[in-house]
């Protein structure tokens, strides 16, 4: 009798939990949780051009004739560096099959060839089409709670430790189950801020406020966000601590001038001076960097070298075989400095 009364008392406490602290199947809050937990397939679009799945790593690819082993997400940048090496060629990526795909619900499928990959890509909503997943905030784990079955009257506890576990938990609910979550819980926003919530009403408000506040990068333009984290605090010491920068890419008004400054070295000084040296000769100019992110501008003025002079936007800092600073203005002007400095 003692155990029976204790169980019934526990059920009564659970049933009386506030409405904004429970989840039921197909409820609005269950849908929101599911959308935050869905696997995001957009981070490898340079490989598969598909947002609703990702290629499971490691995978072997050939980018413009260079064979690469892609073992981490950081290796996607190597493909991009190879594609960015020239503006005048056609970029070609070949994948070595078979490969495995991770779908939105974290299930995995094996793909035998390019035709099968294309068939899966057709199931995605396409470039820049709003999909279900919410990428601008992530749950902090673990999330703990209790599951009450209204049919059997039983209660069980759970602990969720990942998006995959949360998604499968929500999808596995049935119409006679009610979930009570132990609050507070927290989410991390796209800008790394942490928000603590005391109920699901607050969660819905946070999603309404921040759910569309970031660029989910669901396009296939891998070049549009290369300098999201660029800043002068990193750029200035990189330029000034390394001497002997060379120019390996130069385009002005659409004209290719890559060899114009072959044999020239450029030294950037902390006082804003810029020295250029070649064949026992030298000339002087100035440089200054302002701004941040994708709007960081490097202004170069060397009177004796007019093709170098511009208010260049820092497009990318690449570290593959060498350090490269890619500067651009629109689609017709490009200047890339190269250095083997460690």
């Amino acid at each position: 009798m003692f155990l029976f009364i204790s169980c019934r008392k526990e059920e009564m406490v659970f049933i009386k939990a506030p409405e904004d602290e429970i989840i039921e199947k197909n409820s609005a809050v269950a849908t929101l949780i599911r959308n935050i937990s869905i696997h995001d397939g957009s981070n490898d679009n340079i490989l598969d051009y598909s947002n609703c799945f990702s290629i499971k790593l490691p995978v072997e690819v050939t980018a413009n004739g260079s064979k690469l082993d892609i073992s981490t997400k950081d290796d996607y940048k190597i493909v991009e560096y190879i594609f960015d090496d020239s503006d005048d060629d056609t970029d070609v990526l070949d994948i070595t099959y078979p490969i495995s795909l991770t779908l939105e619900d974290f299930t995995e499928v094996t793909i035998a060839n390019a035709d099968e990959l294309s068939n899966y890509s057709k199931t995605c909503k396409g470039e820049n089409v709003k999909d279900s997943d919410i990428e601008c905030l992530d749950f902090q784990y673990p999330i703990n709670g209790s599951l009450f079955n209204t049919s059997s009257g039983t209660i069980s506890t759970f602990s969720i430790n990942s998006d995959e576990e949360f998604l499968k938990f929500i999808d596995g609910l049935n119409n006679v189950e009610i979930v009570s979550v132990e609050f507070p819980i927290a989410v991390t926003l796209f800008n790394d801020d942490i928000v603590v919530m005391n109920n699901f009403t607050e969660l819905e408000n946070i999603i309404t406020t921040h759910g569309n506040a970031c660029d989910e990068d669901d396009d296939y333009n891998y070049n549009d966000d290369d300098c999201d984290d660029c800043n002068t605090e990193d750029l200035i010491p990189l330029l000034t601590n390394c001497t002997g920068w060379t120019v390996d890419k130069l385009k002005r008004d659409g004209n290719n001038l890559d060899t114009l400054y072959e044999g020239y070295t450029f030294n950037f000084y902390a006082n804003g001076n810029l020295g250029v040296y070649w064949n026992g000769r030298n000339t002087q100019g100035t440089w200054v960097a302002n701004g941040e992110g994708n709007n960081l501008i490097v202004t170069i003025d060397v009177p004796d070298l007019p093709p170098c002079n511009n208010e260049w936007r820092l497009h990318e800092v690449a570290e593959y075989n060498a350090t490269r600073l890619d500067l651009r203005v629109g689609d017709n002007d490009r200047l890339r400095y190269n250095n083997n400095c460690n």
Side-chain angles (χ1 to χ4, degrees), residues 41-51 63-64 73-93 127-128 215-230 294 313-318 326 328 334 336:
S42 63
N43 59 6
D44 67 342
N45 281 353
I46 195 170
L47 303 184
D48 59 25
Y49 289 85
S50 302
N51 294 317
N64 289 354
K73 294 178 181 179
D74 291 338
D75 293 337
Y76 300 146
K77 296 295 293 184
I78 299 176
V79 178
E80 182 178 347
Y81 297 154
I82 292 172
F83 283 175
D84 283 348
D85 193 57
S86 175
D87 294 332
D88 303 319
D89 61 352
T90 300
D91 295 322
V92 178
L93 182 82
E127 185 178 17
N128 288 323
D215 179 7
E216 295 190 346
D217 205 21
D218 283 341
D219 57 45
Y220 304 150
N221 179 9
Y222 54 84
N223 267 321
D224 63 351
D225 59 355
D226 290 331
C227 243
D228 282 352
D229 299 322
C230 292
N294 291 290
R313 179 180 62 83
L314 181 59
H315 173 73
E316 184 176 32
V317 179
D326 199 344
R328 303 196 183 192
R334 180 184 187 186
R336 190 171 75 186

Side-chain angles (χ1 to χ4, degrees), residues 46-319:
I46 195 170
L47 303 184
D48 59 25
Y49 289 85
S50 302
N51 294 317
C52 67
F53 61 79
S54 62
I55 297 175
K56 187 178 179 180
L57 304 180
V59 63
E60 183 183 86
V61 302
T62 302
N64 289 354
S66 296
K67 185 170 290 187
L68 303 170
D69 290 319
I70 307 298
S71 57
T72 71
K73 294 178 181 179
D74 291 338
D75 293 337
Y76 300 146
K77 296 295 293 184
I78 299 176
V79 178
E80 182 178 347
Y81 297 154
I82 292 172
F83 283 175
D84 283 348
D85 193 57
S86 175
D87 294 332
D88 303 319
D89 61 352
T90 300
D91 295 322
V92 178
L93 182 82
D94 293 315
I95 299 173
T96 302
Y97 295 93
I99 60 173
S100 294
L101 304 183
T102 303
L103 306 183
E104 285 187 335
D105 62 357
F106 293 94
T107 59
E108 295 181 3
V109 295
T110 300
I111 302 298
N113 52 55
D115 289 337
E116 289 186 14
L117 179 63
S118 177
N119 289 335
Y120 271 93
S121 294
K122 291 175 183 177
T123 67
C124 299
K125 290 187 176 180
E127 185 178 17
N128 288 323
V129 178
K130 180 61 180 175
D131 50 14
S132 299
D133 66 323
I134 298 174
E135 301 173 32
C136 298
L137 60 163
D138 295 295
F139 287 115
Q140 287 197 350
Y141 297 104
I143 293 176
N144 302 314
S146 300
L147 180 66
F148 175 56
N149 189 304
T150 59
S151 176
S152 65
T154 58
I155 295 176
S156 60
T157 60
F158 63 84
S159 181
I160 304 294
N161 294 284
S162 68
D163 283 346
E164 181 177 359
E165 289 183 13
F166 217 169
L167 181 67
K168 291 179 177 178
F169 179 82
I170 293 296
D171 285 348
L173 290 176
N174 60 49
N175 292 326
V176 296
E177 291 176 325
I178 300 174
V179 178
S180 177
V181 170
E182 294 180 8
F183 285 94
I185 63 173
V187 295
T188 303
L189 303 182
F190 61 93
N191 59 3
D192 294 328
D193 287 347
I194 296 174
V195 179
V196 177
M197 297 154 297
N198 296 299
N199 52 60
F200 287 121
T201 300
E202 293 182 10
L203 173 63
E204 291 188 50
N205 292 335
I206 290 297
I207 294 174
T208 299
T209 303
H210 300 287
N212 295 311
C214 67
D215 179 7
E216 295 190 346
D217 205 21
D218 283 341
D219 57 45
Y220 304 150
N221 179 9
Y222 54 84
N223 267 321
D224 63 351
D225 59 355
D226 290 331
C227 243
D228 282 352
D229 299 322
C230 292
N231 58 73
T232 55
E233 289 79 9
D234 293 332
L235 176 65
I236 291 173
L238 177 63
L239 280 171
T240 57
N241 290 340
C242 290
T243 60
W245 292 91
T246 59
V247 172
D248 70 340
K249 293 290 178 184
L250 181 61
K251 181 186 289 186
R252 295 305 302 264
D253 299 321
N255 298 312
N256 191 331
L257 307 175
D258 288 353
T259 62
L260 182 62
Y261 295 119
E262 188 171 335
Y264 288 60
T265 59
F266 294 73
N267 288 345
F268 294 83
Y269 298 103
N271 62 3
N273 290 335
L274 174 58
V276 188
Y277 309 88
W278 73 101
N279 294 331
R281 302 174 59 188
N282 69 84
T283 189
Q284 302 294 317
T286 61
W287 74 282
V288 63
N290 293 293
E292 63 181 357
N294 291 290
N295 294 307
L296 198 162
I297 304 299
V298 181
T299 303
I300 294 177
D301 182 14
V302 184
D304 292 340
L305 309 177
C308 292
N309 302 335
N310 214 330
E311 293 183 354
W312 300 98
R313 179 180 62 83
L314 181 59
H315 173 73
E316 184 176 32
V317 179
E319 293 176 316

